[in-house]
Amino acid sequence: LKTKHEVGPPSVPRLAGERRGGPMGPRDDRAALVPGAGPASCQALCAADSGADEAAIVEAFEAAKAAAGLGFASPLVGALVLGNTLLGGTGLLGIPHAFSACGYAIGAVLLVIFGLLSAFGCHLLSCAARKTGRAPCSFYSVAGAVAPRWTWLIDTAVMLKCFGVATSYLIIVGDLAPSSVRHMGVKEARRWHVVIVGFLVAGSLACLRNLSALRYTAVGSVLIIVWSVVLFVLYLADVGPEFDPCAEARSSFLGAAECDRATFEPFAAGDALALMKALPVFIFTFTCQQNVFTICNEVRNATRRRIDGAIVVAYSTAWAAFLSAAVCGYATYGDQVDGDVLKGYPSKMPVEVTRLLFSLLAVFSYPLQVHPCRVSAAALVSLARSGAAPGAQIPCGWFYLLTFLILAASLAIALTVRDLGLVLGVVGATGSTAVSYILPGILYAQAYRTSHLKRKLALAQAGLGCVIMPTCLVVVFL
């Protein structure tokens, strides 16, 4: 996966395929696109609706990929890419607390429901991508071909999502790094110390001309996720003194009693408000739609069956990992589980090493979110200032002002907000909901104009997203 970024005030490009939420960060492959240009205009594309010959659509799409030098990977590679996007984010740290708000039975059902909705969004986007016949495809190429009026919504969703994920990375550093640093001998380390140090490193990396070297953090992210699940299992099993989850609490009678009385129930006794606040975390956890276009570009003979197979494998694997982490974290600490599950574990060497690894991963992932956030913000500024189509130049001052505002705002929030669950909730209710539900439904409905069952389901999913976004956003702050 490649990234293309400029450090000067460039023309705001027109196309972007971005990658969510995980340590790989968003891709940014914008290229010039004039709505109506290319292999087919919007009208021509939508003339052949759902009854069109699927084989002909795939053949045209594969021809465009071959002309662009794409399409040589197997579906297994596509499943690995999508699985890494799902598992590489910060959702795994927040999902145990979401389970504590609803209980493990309801939590497992919600994981299934939101996983299926998210996977359906991926399916809708892959169908729309094939229909356009453009390669390489991306959110912007598909929107520019079938719904050019909605490109501003994509920019807004990408900007909000990437800014929120970048901020969550700094909060993770503030949550996890201080105890690790103190455990290793720096007794004076405070939360704001490590947040600023992490920000200085991450902010500097965000100014690099090319971020392709940071793609190797994706491999590290998967290894850390696997080890974290193993760690949760070891603490749940309480295999020895080194893996006693209540080791620190047992130093005081009240602490031991509180740890031992933590509840683990199939149906949590909490109120409906707590459950509503947990919903955006489930949405955030399964957001990976932007990388579906990478799979469509890279997988050989990207038929509906082969792409759907990759989606099923990726989501099934991620669901198993999320369920394991959620149940183990919730079963270990019950309703006392922290919004950042790693934050609640005792200060033992295995935990501190894991916390430090997560913190380092967050630092190197931060610039991979800042860059597409800035590109999308610049596109919106250009549109607001002149009403021009994306691609117009923005003044040098605006470019550097946007960079400063993004970095300063994320640092300010990370220094003042200590609740990772709050940030995940806000991002899940806004950017993740738009990317997972609203945009896939709109783009599919615009690509396939004839009324049929899947189109109705796509519009229903878009409508569901429009209900979830304002509702959950209000509930998060109650």
Side-chain angles (χ1 to χ4, degrees):
L1 300 177
K2 299 179 181 178
T3 55
K4 299 178 182 179
H5 302 285
E6 302 84 13
V7 296
S11 299
V12 179
R14 292 181 183 169
L15 283 183
E18 70 288 347
R19 204 178 150 199
R20 141 0 247 135
M24 271 292 294
R27 286 185 61 193
D28 184 7
D29 7 308
R30 294 192 178 199
L33 173 65
V34 178
S41 66
C42 175
Q43 292 76 15
L45 285 170
C46 300
D49 282 352
S50 57
D53 184 6
E54 174 71 14
I57 293 176
V58 173
E59 183 179 357
F61 184 53
E62 291 299 311
K65 286 164 59 177
L70 301 171
F72 301 100
S74 68
L76 178 60
V77 173
L80 291 174
V81 170
L82 199 61
N84 173 72
T85 312
L86 286 164
L87 293 172
T90 55
L92 182 133
L93 298 180
I95 202 69
H97 182 264
F99 262 52
S100 71
C102 55
Y104 62 83
I106 296 179
V109 172
L110 290 177
L111 272 182
V112 172
I113 292 174
F114 286 106
L116 289 175
L117 288 173
S118 178
F120 183 57
C122 290
H123 168 78
L124 294 177
L125 290 175
S126 67
C127 291
R130 280 191 298 270
K131 185 68 176 293
T132 64
R134 298 174 186 266
C137 61
S138 68
F139 256 131
Y140 281 82
S141 67
V142 175
V146 302
R149 294 182 179 180
W150 293 99
T151 54
W152 65 269
L153 181 59
I154 295 176
D155 272 315
T156 303
V158 170
M159 180 184 68
L160 292 175
K161 178 182 70 67
C162 292
F163 176 79
V165 174
T167 304
S168 73
Y169 287 150
L170 292 182
I171 293 177
I172 288 175
V173 173
D175 282 350
L176 305 181
S179 62
S180 298
V181 174
R182 287 195 293 267
H183 190 80
M184 296 174 184
V186 185
K187 302 298 183 183
E188 298 79 13
R190 298 292 181 269
R191 184 181 187 276
W192 69 272
H193 293 160
V194 296
V195 170
I196 290 179
V197 171
F199 171 77
L200 291 175
V201 176
S204 300
L205 291 173
C207 296
L208 291 176
R209 180 177 296 274
N210 191 299
L211 300 180
S212 58
L214 298 179
R215 67 185 181 273
Y216 298 111
T217 58
V219 178
S221 72
V222 174
L223 296 177
I224 291 172
I225 293 297
V226 172
W227 162 246
S228 297
V229 173
V230 172
L231 185 72
F232 299 156
V233 173
L234 292 175
Y235 271 95
L236 176 62
D238 196 1
V239 296
E242 193 70 18
F243 296 99
D244 180 3
C246 295
E248 293 180 349
R250 296 189 200 284
S251 61
S252 68
F253 175 77
L254 292 178
E258 183 180 1
C259 187
D260 292 334
R261 286 199 306 265
T263 60
F264 177 67
E265 301 173 337
F267 308 99
D271 56 21
L273 182 61
L275 174 60
M276 289 296 295
K277 287 185 176 182
L279 295 183
V281 179
F282 288 97
I283 298 173
F284 177 90
T285 300
F286 284 108
T287 304
C288 67
Q289 280 66 24
Q290 53 275 29
N291 236 26
V292 170
F293 300 107
T294 300
I295 296 175
C296 292
N297 289 331
E298 301 296 341
V299 170
R300 180 178 59 256
N301 190 23
T303 63
R304 181 178 303 176
R305 182 176 179 179
R306 286 165 68 85
I307 298 299
D308 285 350
I311 293 172
V312 169
V313 171
Y315 271 82
S316 299
T317 304
W319 185 87
F322 291 143
L323 182 64
S324 300
V327 170
C328 289
Y330 178 35
T332 302
Y333 292 106
D335 58 353
Q336 305 296 322
V337 66
D338 199 277
D340 181 345
V341 64
L342 267 179
K343 189 178 178 181
Y345 281 83
S347 182
K348 299 289 186 177
M349 182 56 70
V351 175
E352 297 301 348
V353 170
T354 306
R355 287 171 175 166
L356 185 60
L357 289 174
F358 254 107
S359 300
L360 291 175
L361 189 61
V363 167
F364 289 109
S365 300
Y366 179 85
L368 294 171
Q369 300 291 335
V370 170
H371 273 250
C373 177
R374 180 175 56 193
V375 170
S376 293
L380 290 173
V381 168
S382 176
L383 186 63
R385 290 181 69 251
S386 62
Q393 289 278 353
I394 61 170
C396 177
W398 272 103
F399 181 85
Y400 291 113
L401 178 61
L402 289 173
T403 302
F404 171 79
L405 290 176
I406 292 170
L407 296 180
S410 65
L411 176 61
I413 294 174
L415 288 173
T416 55
V417 176
R418 295 173 177 264
D419 187 357
L420 178 63
L422 175 62
V423 175
L424 297 185
V426 173
V427 178
T430 55
S432 295
T433 300
V435 170
S436 301
Y437 301 157
I438 300 176
L439 294 179
I442 290 176
L443 294 181
Y444 182 87
Q446 288 293 106
Y448 294 88
R449 298 291 182 88
T450 300
S451 179
H452 56 285
L453 178 60
K454 191 189 298 185
R455 187 175 190 272
K456 293 177 181 178
L457 293 175
L459 290 173
Q461 180 151 317
L464 177 64
C466 293
V467 173
I468 288 177
M469 181 181 292
T471 303
C472 288
L473 189 60
V474 170
V475 169
V476 163
F477 291 102
L478 291 180

